[in-house]
Amino acid sequence: MNFINSYARLPEHFYAKIQASNAPEPELIAWNEELANHLGLNELDADETMLARIFSGNEPLPGGKTIALAYAGHQFGHFVPQLGDGRAALIGEIVSPVDGGRYDIQLKGSGQTPFSRNGDGKSSLGPVIREYLLSEAMYKLGVPTTRALAAVSTGEDVVRESREPGGILTRVASSHIRVGTFQYFASRDDKAALKELTNYAIARHYPDAASVEQPVLAFFSAVVEKQAKLVAHWMALGFIHGVMNTDNSAISGETLDYGPCAFMDEFHINKVFSSIDQQGRYAFGQQANMAQWNLTRLAECLLMLDGEQQDYESLLDLFLPAFEEHYFTLMSKKLGLTNLIDDDIELITAWLQHLQDNQLDYSLSFRQLPSCLDNSEPGTFGEFEARWLQRIDKQAGGREEAGRLMKSSNPVVIPRNHQVERAIEAVFEDDFSVFNELRQVLAEPFTKQPGLEHYSNPPQSHERVMRTFCGT
Ligand code: AMP
Ligand code: MG
């Protein structure tokens, strides 16, 4: 296996050397064979017992180095100068033999670190199952994201609102550098570290930026573009991240931290699920603004190194137009439009308004809309329908092409909260059937899978999940 552990070679105040704590009776409850092969981890040649020991932290990953990363962050707008990996351990950095990409392998919930503050450093099995399902679904839906390699139950309870079984998730990310990592050094006025971090991030994620005249600005510009694309992707899928604090905003442009997140059932532009987001700061429709807010915080850090304020301002001004272009392009495909013309933005807006006014299910409506193409169910979508059909009939390929495009652009199944909750409740009773079925169905989200159709359904009124929790 090809370990590099490059972050552990950065200056010592970038992280703390740690040991993961001992899980009394680790048991492997999920292993992502496909991802393991991608990382070359099949070479471990370990049985389930050994995998459970490694991915609970009881046994070091051969060749890895275990560290907890330092970072700061704005949480709901308030700056906290020290957060850091309080319940996570980076156990190694590996180069994929398949694509040559570098990946962090991190345990989440493996015990206290110097950054734990008052927390126990552990995790309940609930959030482990949640992140496993949601991050893997996100990946299969084609959105940049951290992934899940393994889930382990620890054999000990953690105390949350009640006693719950403990778990550890193994997260794989192309790095764990966050906007908050830059803030950590900027707020300490540690320019040397900031410079080193920036060079490291450029080399790791945006190597093209290294060879231009102003690498730091080029780096920033690339991050802006990645974030614009990411949030556009989320919103086209009806995804609400829920806690877009700067410490949860990855420089790589991957979705990071699946806490109180949700895929929307019925559409509402201001939808909030998170129990801790009282003001709706991270409501569905706020996400582009919030990403831009986070990027502004990153710009403030980078400005300490290089460039003029107005350079950063001009790049920040490009964020919303870039976001809109990505978003409306994705949305037009979801509506079967092969290209985006000016009037389409109004058409897309009218569609969303129709969904909202009629409290319609977001994902399901995109799958039902094509039934209007052959007039099998005329009038289902009100005034919007005629207008949309007129537009489709004007484009090359007509209704047939539109139908094909919609099929490949709209998932049959998304990880709906009520199903995820059902999976967690069953796992608490030692029943892994729902979890495993969900893993199976979400591995091919654009394909109808016989016998698993019910995972596409929106919740019935008694199944609706109104609030989601951080799981810390
Ligand atoms: P999050 O809300 O998951 O992004 O976490 C925010 C901060 O709280 C990070 O610094 C975490 O490491 C820390 N944290 C969350 N849960 C725990 C826990 N159970 N023990 C220690 N630190 C935690
Ligand atoms: Mg976090």
Side-chain angles (χ1 to χ4, degrees), residues 31-109:
W31 176 245
N32 189 338
E33 193 84 41
E34 175 204 307
L35 180 56
N37 291 340
H38 186 77
L39 298 173
L41 287 172
N42 37 344
E43 278 181 40
L44 276 174
D45 201 20
D47 61 10
E48 279 204 10
T49 312
M50 191 44 125
L51 289 176
R53 288 184 55 74
I54 295 174
F55 295 101
S56 59
N58 286 10
E59 190 82 38
L61 191 58
K65 275 221 166 74
T66 305
I67 56 176
L69 275 48
Y71 57 85
H74 274 91
Q75 298 190 306
F76 291 92
H78 302 287
F79 186 64
V80 185
Q82 179 161 318
L83 290 165
D85 286 338
R87 58 163 165 176
L90 178 62
I91 59 168
E93 221 181 86
I94 205 166
V95 176
S96 159
V98 180
D99 65 0
R102 293 186 192 195
Y103 298 92
D104 277 7
I105 302 178
Q106 189 200 55
L107 304 182
K108 241 182 122 177

Side-chain angles (χ1 to χ4, degrees), residues 71 75 83-84 86-87 116-117 119-122 160 248 257 472:
Y71 57 85
Q75 298 190 306
L83 290 165
R87 58 163 165 176
S116 295
R117 294 171 292 165
D120 60 3
K122 298 190 173 158
R160 295 295 182 260
N248 293 335
D257 264 19
T472 50

Side-chain angles (χ1 to χ4, degrees), residues 297-317:
R297 304 290 80 77
L298 177 62
E300 287 162 359
C301 300
L302 298 178
L303 191 53
M304 289 172 63
L305 295 177
D306 187 24
E308 301 293 325
Q309 180 151 344
Q310 73 198 62
D311 297 334
Y312 284 97
E313 279 170 5
S314 340
L315 289 172
L316 282 165
D317 284 344

